[in-house]
Amino acid sequence: MQNSYNLTFTSATRPFQMLLKCAGCVVFGLFLISCSSIPSARREITMSDETPQPIRYSMIFIIHGDGDYLYHDAGGQAHLADKAALAGAIEVAEQNRRAEVFIFHQKPRRHAWLFFPRHDGTCYHYREGRLLAKESYWRNRGKTRFQPEVELYSRYHQGASPPEAKLLLYFGHQIPEFGGAGYDASSPGRVFTIDDFAGGLKQIKSDSVKLDLIVLSTCYNGTPYTVAALAPYARYIIASPGNLHRSYFDLQRLENLDRELQDGDMAALAKNFARQAFDKLTEDIQTAVTVAVYDVDSVRGYLNSVGSAYEQTLTALSGKKPGSVEHLDCAEDPAYARPGMSEGVDIFYRPPRFGRLKNKQSHSGWGCWSLPRQSP
């Protein structure tokens, strides 16, 4: 015969045991789902059935957030650069009523309940200022780095006739020209270089018409190699040959493309955008600020003249980590200095407020790697 203590204990633990069994069933079910049938993308907003109107502008934003993007403004306020860029891109998408806008936010890979992976990418599709679709997706489900983004773009892109202007903007850390492992903090084995980026552009563009403008809101990508890699896909490129300290280019200039492109002058838009980005950066940053606009056709001569020397530099740097190598103005290296090397480049430059370069009053607009000096 059971005593009263055993009866009480048994009756008290029975609901707890049932709860454990139920929880076990849920966890086991989630395990089966995670191993076999997680969808590649999850739609959160139903697509509109309305007939799309012709658009004038196409914009694609790729925002990398899988890394250390915390920075502080001049007032000491902390910001996550990728979240700020996302908010700015959404504002641009909502304000342009005659545009189709894609925003791809590449996020760190995380897990739910410690075991089950969560989607590490989000796609936003806007048209005529309205959000038509928002999908979560896996960034590693493809043979190439940008295949998931290309497939989402192809699925939702609307319009048979080409737009009057096509822009692509990338926000992130410096896109490596060599190495490339560790660019994604949550997937350090995944490799990403400027050649991978160029391959993604080729897939997204998918026709013979160039993008009118590519903006690289990154550090140190205003180089001969990077511009040459992207030259087949763009008419104009905006990039910085210097360090942006995780601050991004201001997007306000793109919030009204009807006004900015009323004359169809993409060169003027590129210069105005770069100027405003430069002005904003110089308000917040005490270090050097350099923003350059490259007219791709006009800089081909310089790119051809230094291409071989730059390739030799990259070969010499093979095996090193990009973050361990210093950068310099190409005009300071005889291997890259050329008469007229800044032709076709609009340069916005301010020297640092302190340090050994505070008296440097000009910049060629081109950034190069500084090879370690050989011991005699």
Side-chain angles (χ1 to χ4, degrees):
M1 181 175 179
Q2 293 179 312
N3 59 34
S4 59
Y5 172 81
N6 287 335
L7 287 172
T8 303
F9 180 80
T10 301
S11 60
T13 56
R14 189 171 296 150
F16 181 70
Q17 291 172 342
M18 293 179 64
L19 179 62
L20 285 178
K21 290 180 180 179
C22 291
C25 290
V26 171
V27 171
F28 182 68
L30 289 173
F31 173 77
L32 292 177
I33 292 173
S34 69
C35 292
S36 60
S37 60
I38 290 180
S40 59
R42 177 167 53 88
R43 181 178 298 176
E44 298 182 5
I45 293 179
T46 303
M47 290 290 294
S48 171
D49 293 329
E50 298 179 11
T51 302
Q53 299 298 314
I55 62 169
R56 293 187 62 187
Y57 319 109
S58 170
M59 287 184 280
I60 300 173
F61 294 83
I62 302 174
I63 302 170
H64 185 261
D66 191 358
D68 180 11
Y69 287 101
L70 177 67
Y71 75 98
H72 295 80
D73 60 25
Q77 185 71 29
H79 300 273
L80 286 173
D82 62 308
K83 297 292 183 64
L86 177 62
I90 289 174
E91 183 69 18
V92 169
E94 292 176 343
Q95 293 300 319
N96 282 283
R97 302 292 180 174
R98 305 177 73 180
E100 181 178 54
V101 181
F102 285 86
I103 304 170
F104 298 100
H105 188 199
Q106 301 176 332
K107 300 178 291 186
R109 190 165 192 181
R110 295 190 174 95
H111 292 77
W113 292 31
L114 301 179
F115 300 105
F116 309 108
R118 302 176 64 179
H119 295 94
D120 56 355
T122 303
C123 169
Y124 304 78
H125 177 217
Y126 284 83
R127 192 181 179 95
E128 300 174 14
R130 294 181 298 166
L131 179 62
L132 300 184
K134 178 182 176 182
E135 287 207 8
S136 300
Y137 66 96
W138 302 105
R139 293 198 290 124
N140 63 345
R141 302 288 175 89
K143 295 181 179 179
T144 62
R145 181 178 179 93
F146 289 106
Q147 184 173 332
E149 287 84 359
V150 170
E151 290 180 352
L152 286 166
Y153 175 80
S154 300
R155 184 188 309 167
Y156 290 127
H157 172 58
Q158 302 174 18
S161 58
E164 296 177 20
K166 297 178 67 174
L167 296 79
L168 185 142
L169 300 92
Y170 181 85
F171 299 79
H173 291 306
Q174 174 192 7
I175 304 176
E177 295 180 335
F178 61 93
Y183 192 85
D184 295 313
S186 64
S187 300
R190 188 184 299 169
V191 175
F192 178 47
T193 67
I194 194 64
D195 295 318
D196 296 312
F197 184 73
L201 292 181
K202 183 177 181 180
Q203 290 179 289
I204 289 176
K205 197 175 67 64
S206 74
D207 55 35
S208 59
V209 180
K210 287 187 174 185
L211 295 165
D212 294 286
L213 177 64
I214 293 176
V215 177
L216 299 180
S217 189
T218 64
C219 299
Y220 300 119
N221 276 126
T223 72
Y225 187 86
T226 290
V227 173
L230 305 186
Y233 313 110
R235 295 173 53 214
Y236 297 94
I237 297 171
I238 297 176
S240 173
N243 192 347
L244 297 181
H245 282 276
R246 300 187 187 128
S247 296
Y248 281 149
F249 292 159
D250 184 75
L251 294 176
Q252 187 176 358
R253 204 82 197 192
L254 301 182
E255 291 179 4
N256 189 339
L257 289 182
D258 277 338
R259 179 189 63 210
E260 298 295 334
L261 286 173
Q262 58 182 337
D263 297 325
D265 191 343
M266 183 57 65
L269 171 62
K271 294 175 186 177
N272 291 336
F273 177 91
R275 163 60 75 179
Q276 182 158 323
F278 172 82
D279 290 342
K280 181 66 175 177
L281 288 168
T282 53
E283 292 176 3
D284 299 333
I285 295 177
Q286 298 300 308
T287 53
V289 179
T290 313
V291 181
V293 182
Y294 306 93
D295 181 331
V296 170
D297 287 339
S298 299
V299 301
R300 287 188 186 277
Y302 176 69
L303 297 179
N304 292 335
S305 71
V306 300
S308 177
Y310 207 101
E311 290 280 1
Q312 292 176 16
T313 296
L314 293 182
T315 300
L317 293 174
S318 178
K320 296 183 179 296
K321 294 183 178 181
S324 67
V325 185
E326 294 186 359
H327 303 261
L328 50 70
D329 183 343
C330 291
E332 300 171 7
D333 189 331
Y336 304 106
R338 300 284 190 279
M341 63 187 296
S342 297
E343 292 179 6
V345 186
D346 288 287
I347 308 153
F348 302 93
Y349 170 75
R350 190 209 66 190
R353 301 297 192 192
F354 53 86
R356 63 183 180 86
L357 297 178
K358 66 180 181 180
N359 295 319
K360 177 179 169 62
Q361 296 302 313
S362 63
H363 198 289
S364 70
W366 296 104
C368 288
W369 298 98
S370 178
L371 284 175
R373 294 183 179 180
Q374 299 293 329
S375 301

